Amino acid sequence: MRKICVIGTGYVGLVTGTCFADLGNQVTCLDIAPDKIEKLQRGEMPIYEPGLEELVARNVAGKRLTFTTSYPDAVPGAEFIFIAVGTPSGVDGEADLQYVRMAAESVADVMTNYTIIINKSTVPVGTGDSVAEILRERGKQPGVDFDVVSNPEFLREGSAMFDFQMPDRVVLGSTNRAAAEKVAQLYLPLRCSIMITDLRTAEMIKYASNAFLATRISFINEIATICEKLGADVKEVAAGMGMDKRIGRAFLDAGVGYGGSCFPKDVKALTWMAEINGCHPQMLRAVMEINRDQRRQAVTKLRDLLGTLRGKTIAVWGVAFKPNTDDVRESPALDIVHILQTEGAHIRAYDPVAVENARKISHGIQFCDSAYTAAENADAVVLVTEWNEFKNLDFERVAATMKNKILIDGRNIYDAERMQAFGFTYRGVGRGYGSS
Ligand code: UGA
């Protein structure tokens, strides 16, 4: 059993803290937002993450997991302190490090024993060194030593628990290998590959991984656009490509593009880091541009079919940036809604869990209580988030209540011929003649 403090109770911090508690460690999760901590103390989750509530309850009951807003309560005596606070985009696309700095300063103020500070937040290359500098300069107790380790997270929202418990790899970077090896011990029960490298390389592995995955998505989306013109089906193309072991099938689903709190922000931040260091990140720029275009293409298809969007009612299925999350940050759905509204369309939307969050950052959307009610009297439906419940709807019922039977499938989840049989004019993404 190790004594661990995790700073930040977003989905990374909360999942990390809870999973470490479940491995038998004594974990305190700290957040400066009292409302979040009060919620957690009442057993309520501040985010929607499948399986999390049950695991939190089990570990709180087992007295391995506690929540606090107090640094003096959580830091002294902790052997490991994970920093898992937000790093939003700054004005120029750079990562805004104010929360990481604040966490490091607060730790420095109350640290009383040798501690390993582990950076889990996605931070620009070189931030580990800055955290070490803060701790060195601000540490109040003379002679209290520390080490800084970078341990980037590779948790997908919606399957974060699984990703923590069954990781492809754990990456650890430090200027002191012995410190990284101590952190590695925490992960040993997971029996996964552990890579130990230097601090800056570990930080770069995170950005390069997210940027590469985003590149695969933009690549297949560009291929989809070409498929539409040439009459090929991008789903089959991706399947055929994916059979090559050197390529693999993952992250080759064409659609309305990537969203969320990670890919858009991280590709932007990596581009910024490259540019201020005199590099020309042409591929990263293209990745972002293609991603923007994918949203517009969905609207173009609607405009082509409806003539004008002014006064038209468009049903939007799904507002979360992907299924199994209530997160709407950089959601393709909200971008599409925004363009549609600008062109004068009226929006009726439905999402199984993300409506509350969508309400906070959108306006003028009429939220409905099901996919069916959203589609009633609509001129078209746009499927943006591929929630399972959208896959097997009663399409006769949907078609019967729509004004115009137009279905834009932004995630290629439907069979074109089947949808045409229900009377829909169907358009997927990159799906050949007649269905694209
Ligand atoms: C991503 C990474 O997958 C995690 O490894 C990483 O830890 C995390 O960012 C992070 O940096 O915190 P996440 O943003 O939760 O995780 O979601 P993904 O499942 O990667 O999906 C991102 C976006 O890409 C979604 O909008 C999804 O719909 C889209 N996507 C994904 C596609 O358009 N096509 C695909 O083939 C795959």
Side-chain angles (χ1 to χ4, degrees):
M1 189 213 58
R2 299 295 192 171
K3 216 172 157 216
I4 296 173
C5 166
V6 180
I7 303 171
T9 57
Y11 90 100
V12 173
L14 196 51
V15 167
T16 302
T18 307
C19 289
F20 273 133
D22 206 51
L23 292 175
N25 299 290
Q26 189 63 48
V27 179
T28 305
C29 286
L30 183 152
D31 202 298
I32 52 168
D35 53 323
K36 274 188 170 182
I37 293 300
E38 280 159 22
K39 257 187 159 184
L40 285 162
Q41 285 167 339
R42 287 197 302 271
E44 291 168 30
M45 296 303 106
I47 48 159
Y48 174 82
E49 185 64 41
L52 182 61
E53 193 168 340
E54 294 81 350
L55 207 65
V56 168
R58 191 161 87 206
N59 286 285
V60 168
K63 301 200 181 326
R64 290 180 298 273
L65 182 61
T66 53
F67 302 102
T68 184
T69 52
S70 161
Y71 276 91
D73 285 353
V75 169
E79 297 164 76
F80 301 93
I81 298 180
F82 285 85
I83 299 181
V85 296
T87 50
S89 280
V91 270
D92 293 325
E94 80 283 14
D96 178 349
L97 290 177
Q98 59 168 316
Y99 302 110
V100 174
R101 278 195 212 100
M102 269 166 59
E105 286 167 7
S106 306
V107 169
D109 287 348
V110 294
M111 202 168 72
T112 54
N113 51 286
Y114 171 75
T115 315
I116 301 180
I117 289 94
I118 305 129
N119 230 332
K120 265 227 161 282
S121 303
T122 302
V123 288
V125 178
T127 303
D129 295 328
S130 317
V131 166
E133 210 174 294
I134 291 172
L135 290 159
R136 222 175 358 256
E137 284 175 2
R138 194 164 161 135
K140 294 275 188 292
Q141 310 255 0
V144 173
D145 207 2
F146 66 88
D147 277 299
V148 174
V149 172
S150 163
N151 173 210
E153 53 88 11
F154 301 103
L155 309 174
R156 286 164 301 173
E157 289 187 35
S159 48
M161 317 284 286
F162 174 87
D163 288 346
F164 184 96
Q165 289 156 345
M166 310 275 286
D168 288 343
R169 80 307 206 183
V170 166
V171 173
L172 299 168
S174 184
T175 41
N176 178 358
R177 195 179 167 91
E181 278 166 359
K182 282 194 186 128
V183 182
Q185 299 284 327
L186 295 176
Y187 287 101
L188 283 186
L190 302 179
R191 296 172 185 279
C192 59
S193 310
I194 297 178
M195 177 183 178
I196 296 185
T197 180
D198 65 82
L199 205 45
R200 288 178 178 234
T201 303
E203 290 168 343
M204 190 60 180
I205 287 171
K206 170 62 195 249
Y207 277 106
S209 299
N210 272 6
F212 184 70
L213 292 171
T215 302
R216 284 178 68 103
I217 298 169
S218 280
F219 175 83
I220 202 66
N221 281 334
E222 181 155 280
I223 294 295
T225 304
I226 303 170
C227 282
E228 285 187 12
K229 298 290 177 205
L230 301 184
D233 184 339
V234 75
K235 273 190 96 161
E236 303 271 312
V237 171
M241 287 169 64
M243 284 174 198
D244 186 326
K245 287 196 189 70
R246 294 168 303 174
I247 299 173
R249 176 63 186 81
F251 281 74
L252 286 182
D253 289 319
V256 289
Y258 60 79
S261 65
C262 307
F263 287 176
K265 167 174 77 72
D266 293 349
V267 177
K268 231 189 273 173
L270 183 56
T271 307
W272 181 83
M273 278 185 268
E275 279 168 352
I276 59 156
N277 285 290
C279 306
H280 303 285
Q282 301 165 63
M283 188 184 278
L284 297 177
R285 283 192 209 119
V287 167
M288 292 189 283
E289 205 175 305
I290 293 167
N291 200 50
R292 263 194 311 271
D293 285 352
Q294 288 308 112
R295 272 94 152 138
R296 294 199 191 114
Q297 283 194 19
V299 177
T300 304
K301 283 175 186 159
L302 278 173
R303 204 188 299 113
D304 288 351
L305 289 166
L306 288 166
T308 173
L309 292 168
R310 186 149 301 280
K312 296 287 170 12
T313 299
I314 311 294
V316 174
W317 286 349
V319 291
F321 84 94
K322 67 171 192 176
N324 299 319
T325 176
D326 62 352
D327 199 337
V328 294
R329 285 176 286 178
E330 302 274 342
S331 167
L334 295 181
D335 286 344
I336 289 170
V337 163
H338 182 73
I339 309 173
L340 289 170
Q341 286 177 327
T342 312
E343 298 201 18
H346 170 64
I347 310 295
R348 293 166 63 85
Y350 166 71
D351 188 284
V353 301
V355 169
E356 211 181 303
N357 285 338
R359 272 189 215 281
K360 292 180 201 153
I361 59 166
S362 64
H363 60 89
I365 302 178
Q366 187 182 348
F367 287 104
C368 304
D369 59 8
S370 75
Y372 298 106
T373 42
E376 275 169 22
N377 289 319
D379 290 285
V381 166
V382 189
L383 175 293
V384 188
T385 317
E386 67 277 32
W387 286 94
N388 273 339
E389 69 171 70
F390 297 144
K391 291 182 181 161
N392 284 308
L393 292 166
D394 176 350
F395 286 100
E396 261 170 44
R397 181 176 160 196
V398 174
T401 62
M402 288 180 69
K403 198 193 281 176
N404 281 308
K405 297 178 195 16
I406 292 173
L407 177 56
I408 306 290
D409 179 0
R411 295 290 181 184
N412 286 345
I413 64 171
Y414 300 123
D415 179 72
E417 281 177 19
R418 189 164 167 255
M419 290 302 131
Q420 280 153 1
F422 285 118
F424 288 106
T425 300
Y426 173 85
R427 295 287 184 271
V429 180
R431 303 190 71 183
Y433 288 128
S435 60
S436 52

